[in-house]
Amino acid sequence: MGDPGWENENVPPTPAQQAQTRRIARELAGLGFALPGTLADRMTRCGYANCRCRTDPPRLHGPYHQWTRKKNGKTATRILSDDQLADYRPWFDNHRRLRELIAELEQLSLAIAEADPRWNR
C-alpha cells in the first residue's frame, strides 16, 4: 500500500510533491500538544479612583498574560501566570506551526488538483 492519499493513479503527485508531503507529515508527527488561540500581554486600569493607574501619567497594572480563544462559539479569555506562560508557550507555537503546515498541505493539494489534465475536457 502506498502513502495515504497517493493511491489515486489519475492524479499522481510529482516526486518533489511527494517529498514535500513526506516532510510535512514528519513535522506534523513531531509537533506535540497544540493550544489554539491568541496570547497578548495586557496592561490594565482597576476600579479604584485613587490608584496609581488613575494618575497622570498612569502607571497601569500588569503585564497580564491573556489567552483568548473560541469555546463553544463564544470568546473565552484566561489570564496565565508567568509559570503557565512558560509551560504553554511551546504549545501555542506548535498550534501556529500546525496551521502553517496545514496551509502548506492545502496549497500542495490544490497544485496537484489544478495539474489534473481532466480539467481540459
Side-chain angles (χ1 to χ4, degrees), residues 74-85:
K74 296 185 179 194
T75 302
T77 301
R78 287 209 153 160
I79 303 300
L80 304 177
S81 68
D82 291 339
D83 289 342
Q84 287 174 313
L85 179 64

Side-chain angles (χ1 to χ4, degrees), residues 2-82:
D3 289 313
W6 295 357
E7 293 86 18
N8 190 336
E9 63 190 42
N10 293 319
V11 192
T14 66
Q17 290 168 328
Q18 290 177 1
Q20 186 178 1
T21 303
R22 281 191 293 273
R23 180 191 53 78
I24 292 170
R26 278 192 308 273
E27 193 168 345
L28 282 170
L31 268 182
F33 294 113
L35 279 176
T38 303
L39 277 179
D41 285 338
R42 302 269 189 238
M43 304 294 286
T44 63
R45 285 192 170 103
C46 69
Y48 294 102
N50 294 328
C51 183
R52 66 183 173 99
C53 66
R54 302 288 179 174
T55 61
D56 188 25
R59 293 189 338 234
L60 301 177
H61 301 284
Y64 297 105
H65 312 296
Q66 189 177 42
W67 170 31
T68 305
R69 65 187 176 109
K70 287 292 186 181
K71 184 177 179 183
N72 298 325
K74 296 185 179 194
T75 302
T77 301
R78 287 209 153 160
I79 303 300
L80 304 177
S81 68
D82 291 339

Side-chain angles (χ1 to χ4, degrees), residues 90-109:
W91 296 4
F92 290 110
D93 295 340
N94 286 348
H95 186 264
R96 186 178 307 108
R97 185 62 185 143
L98 175 65
R99 291 175 59 102
E100 290 169 355
L101 290 169
I102 289 171
E104 187 178 347
L105 188 59
E106 287 173 344
Q107 288 301 314
L108 179 61
S109 300

